């Protein structure tokens, strides 16, 4: 597993948002999960807001829904490309905590605009080529990890 810099997770999230040639993650499903519950939020991956210290990212959905991710608690990121049970490609970014549990997953949805699916595939595959393995994130680049956002 490759060791990352102290801003690597933010860099990865911004890279996913910004994409290349105006094609980024765009239409996604963000999944939050615990041992007792899970939630899926359909969103466009275009409104990420970082706290001044860079520790917390807020993923905004039009209408007020939002999610917070304390990046100081994420130890690993991984890009995953598989085939789902319907035989369709599945594009995923997993972020795991220090125990290896998924903290947040981002799945690219099939776009409503079919013309954008091939460029999104190409963009994701370029990320997978850039980050072919699990990415180890530093233990505490933000100082002492704070309380839940």
């Amino acid at each position: 597993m490759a060791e990352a810099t102290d801003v690597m997770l933010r860099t990865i999230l911004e890279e996913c948002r910004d994409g290349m040639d105006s094609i980024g993650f765009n239409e996604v499903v963000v999944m939050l999960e615990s041992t007792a519950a899970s939630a899926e939020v359909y969103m466009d991956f275009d409104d990420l807001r970082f706290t001044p210290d860079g520790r917390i990212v807020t993923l905004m959905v039009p209408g007020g829904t939002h999610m917070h991710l304390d990046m100081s608690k994420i130890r690993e990121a991984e890009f995953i490309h598989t085939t789902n049970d319907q035989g369709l490609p599945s594009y995923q970014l997993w972020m795991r905590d220090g125990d290896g549990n998924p903290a947040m997953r981002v799945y690219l949805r099939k776009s409503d605009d079919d013309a954008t699916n091939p460029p999104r595939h190409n963009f994701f595959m370029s990320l997978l080529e850039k980050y072919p393995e699990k990415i180890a994130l530093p233990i505490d680049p933000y100082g002492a990890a704070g309380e839940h956002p």
Side-chain angles (χ1 to χ4, degrees):
M1 199 170 4
E3 184 68 26
T5 66
D6 60 338
V7 294
M8 189 61 156
L9 184 55
R10 179 177 179 154
T11 302
I12 289 169
L13 293 174
E14 290 174 329
E15 190 171 5
C16 292
R17 176 198 62 203
D18 298 342
M20 65 181 185
D21 300 327
S22 301
I23 300 292
F25 269 30
N26 309 108
E27 300 159 87
V28 300
V29 176
V30 176
M31 179 179 235
L32 303 175
E33 182 177 352
S34 75
T35 56
S38 66
E40 294 180 356
V41 177
Y42 288 70
M43 63 182 293
D44 292 330
F45 202 74
D46 59 359
D47 192 355
L48 305 180
R49 302 179 188 182
F50 298 90
T51 56
D53 65 0
R55 186 174 73 88
I56 307 294
V57 60
T58 302
L59 293 83
M60 301 297 297
V61 179
T65 299
H66 59 278
M67 295 169 280
H68 302 283
L69 176 64
D70 183 343
M71 294 186 292
S72 72
K73 297 188 175 152
I74 303 300
R75 298 283 66 78
E76 180 181 285
E78 182 179 15
F79 289 94
I80 300 171
H81 178 247
T82 62
T83 302
N84 67 21
D85 35 346
Q86 299 167 345
L88 300 171
S90 178
Y91 309 94
Q92 308 163 33
L93 168 60
W94 286 41
M95 292 164 269
R96 296 182 184 95
D97 65 18
D99 295 326
N101 299 314
M104 181 179 280
R105 299 184 224 172
V106 180
Y107 294 86
L108 273 68
R109 291 186 295 140
K110 183 176 184 283
S111 178
D112 294 333
D113 178 1
D114 286 336
T116 65
N117 287 318
R120 291 173 75 217
H121 166 85
N122 293 339
F123 172 59
F124 187 88
M125 297 311 284
S126 74
L127 290 170
L128 192 56
E129 184 176 315
K130 183 175 182 178
Y131 306 106
E133 301 175 0
K134 293 177 183 175
I135 305 156
L137 301 167
I139 291 177
D140 198 2
Y142 307 98
E147 295 300 312
H148 185 64

